[in-house]
Amino acid sequence: MPYLRLRRRASLRSMHSVDATDARILRALAVDPRRTVVALAQELGLSRNTVQARLARLEQHAFLPFDRRINPASLGYPLLAFITVHVQQRQLAEITEEIARIPEVLEGHGLTGTADLLLRVVAVDAEDLFRIHGKILAIEGVDRTDTALAMGELIPFRMDPLLERGPRTPN
Amino acid sequence: MPYLRLRRRASLRSMHSVDATDARILRALAVDPRRTVVALAQELGLSRNTVQARLARLEQHAFLPFDRRINPASLGYPLLAFITVHVQQRQLAEITEEIARIPEVLEGHGLTGTADLLLRVVAVDAEDLFRIHGKILAIEGVDRTDTALAMGELIPFRMDPLLERGPRTPN
DNA sequence: CTGAAATTGAGCACAATGCCCTATCTGAGG
DNA sequence: CCTCAGATAGGGCATTGTGCTCAATTTCAG
């Protein structure tokens, strides 16, 4: 029985990574997300087929859900806060589940170090934030919380410096 | 000279907010960002004109840059860390500028409370993160930093709970 | 050198877009 | 209750983009 031969050349389709060409596509999209495939191809000097294939792959492996492009402020939640939560470690799963029931919690990360959880929370106003904070603190197993209001996006979210550098090139 | 009359009805175009219909459009887009205008119109029971007009408005006022949909992991930066930075307040501007030069810093917020800055940082590996941490700590005016590695996205980013509830409806 | 993977160019039916226009509906202000 | 700006609907039309296929060519790790 013949054994399967190793792939001669690593298929980009199997390794979910992004090469320099993908990075160029991403940078172009960052400028204007509505650029058509045709426009991208022309702009980057690639064939439409190539761009289309790469975009399809990117959509599957490199794109996060669309949610992230929605501005909470335009939904009526202009306040942003980061809440760190200290919990009884062994109840972490249940606590996370409870916290996830709070709509204003947009994102939650488990952390190393002193804190256990870092939550990204939005609110309508200060009073609203206070209410949300209370809901979190009231959860069984939550020991302590620490709320920090974001006063300004000093460094607005960006990915361009990494795209510019090209993928996977440390130091 | 005739004075300008006040607008009779607040134009959605001037108030950058999102109404319930917009929220429905956003939710549909969240399911599949590639939905066409025609498909959206049919699905929501609206005319193509309406959807097209609303989308154009949303694109201007409610959508954040495309960057946010790019997964840093697929660019070769699988590590995510949150670094809180304590600084000499009066040098905040210069320090922010210095930090902004570090490509791996994706996002930086000025905070109330004990810490001054919260940075979202990605890295290739632990060693890489250590290096980045060192760069930040070396900046003139930075007093102390506190690095917390994100071990898991316990609550993945989401906006749906807020969209579902409809805009601006606290408690 | 070899061959799988990637890219290219070309073609084609179909769908979507970007506009345009007019008619109707809606609701806050007077 | 009336008015009117703004929103929606529906129709049309030229242009463009998409999704898909196929065969030829290029690229590059083994």
Side-chain angles (χ1 to χ4, degrees):
Chain A
M1 198 180 198
Y3 58 90
L4 287 177
R5 307 192 55 175
L6 288 179
R7 299 262 167 74
R8 294 286 183 98
R9 185 178 170 190
S11 165
L12 285 179
R13 212 158 286 143
S14 54
M15 44 187 295
H16 303 182
S17 74
V18 164
D19 65 9
T21 305
D22 284 336
R24 292 178 62 213
I25 295 179
L26 292 176
R27 294 189 71 192
L29 277 181
V31 175
D32 173 17
R34 300 183 42 118
R35 265 192 176 77
T36 65
V37 175
V38 184
L40 282 172
Q42 184 173 358
E43 185 176 334
L44 304 181
L46 301 171
S47 80
R48 181 166 81 89
N49 263 336
T50 302
V51 175
Q52 206 152 352
R54 282 176 176 269
L55 264 185
R57 192 156 39 79
L58 287 170
E59 186 79 41
Q60 285 197 355
H61 302 302
F63 285 175
L64 299 168
F66 176 79
D67 289 273
R68 307 213 175 217
R69 285 201 56 206
I70 303 175
N71 187 352
S74 67
L75 259 61
Y77 303 86
L79 253 53
L80 172 64
F82 293 94
I83 303 184
T84 54
V85 187
H86 298 250
V87 304
Q88 303 281 351
Q89 293 268 2
R90 60 177 54 184
Q91 301 181 47
L92 184 57
E94 296 87 344
I95 294 170
T96 300
E97 205 173 331
E98 278 304 313
I99 293 178
R101 285 193 221 287
I102 305 174
E104 289 90 350
V105 176
L106 299 190
E107 195 178 11
H109 293 273
L111 296 187
T112 64
T114 54
D116 298 305
L117 280 171
L118 176 61
L119 307 178
R120 184 193 198 102
V121 175
V122 293
V124 171
D125 52 32
E127 190 184 352
D128 192 36
L129 181 59
F130 184 73
R131 178 186 60 81
I132 297 164
H133 176 262
K135 278 175 95 170
I136 295 172
L137 199 50
I139 293 172
E140 164 92 19
V142 169
D143 282 344
R144 197 162 65 80
T145 70
D146 195 346
T147 302
L149 189 63
M151 290 189 297
E153 202 177 5
L154 298 185
I155 303 177
F157 190 96
R158 66 202 183 143
M159 191 70 75
D160 208 58
L162 292 186
L163 291 175
E164 193 175 0
R165 163 197 288 186
R168 280 192 165 279
T169 317
N171 86 275
Chain B
M1 200 179 196
Y3 58 89
L4 286 179
R5 307 192 55 173
L6 288 180
R7 297 264 165 74
R8 293 286 183 97
R9 185 179 170 190
S11 164
L12 284 179
R13 214 158 284 141
S14 54
M15 44 187 296
H16 303 182
S17 74
V18 164
D19 65 9
T21 305
D22 284 336
R24 292 178 61 215
I25 295 180
L26 291 177
R27 293 189 71 193
L29 276 182
V31 174
D32 174 17
R34 299 183 43 119
R35 263 191 179 77
T36 66
V37 175
V38 182
L40 281 172
Q42 183 174 358
E43 184 175 336
L44 303 181
L46 300 170
S47 79
R48 181 167 79 91
N49 264 334
T50 303
V51 175
Q52 207 152 353
R54 282 176 176 270
L55 264 186
R57 192 155 40 77
L58 286 170
E59 184 79 42
Q60 286 199 352
H61 302 303
F63 285 174
L64 299 168
F66 176 79
D67 289 271
R68 307 212 176 219
R69 286 202 57 206
I70 303 175
N71 187 350
S74 67
L75 259 60
Y77 302 85
L79 254 52
L80 172 64
F82 294 94
I83 304 185
T84 54
V85 186
H86 299 249
V87 305
Q88 303 281 351
Q89 293 268 2
R90 60 177 54 185
Q91 301 181 47
L92 184 56
E94 296 86 344
I95 294 170
T96 301
E97 205 174 332
E98 276 306 311
I99 294 177
R101 286 192 221 286
I102 304 174
E104 290 90 350
V105 176
L106 298 191
E107 195 178 11
H109 294 272
L111 296 186
T112 65
T114 53
D116 299 304
L117 280 171
L118 177 61
L119 307 179
R120 186 193 197 101
V121 174
V122 293
V124 172
D125 53 30
E127 189 184 354
D128 192 34
L129 180 59
F130 183 74
R131 178 186 59 80
I132 297 164
H133 175 263
K135 278 174 96 170
I136 295 172
L137 199 50
I139 293 173
E140 165 93 19
V142 169
D143 281 345
R144 196 162 66 81
T145 70
D146 195 347
T147 302
L149 189 62
M151 289 189 299
E153 201 176 7
L154 298 184
I155 303 177
F157 190 96
R158 67 206 182 141
M159 192 70 75
D160 209 57
L162 293 186
L163 291 175
E164 192 174 359
R165 164 197 285 185
R168 282 196 162 274
T169 318
N171 82 278

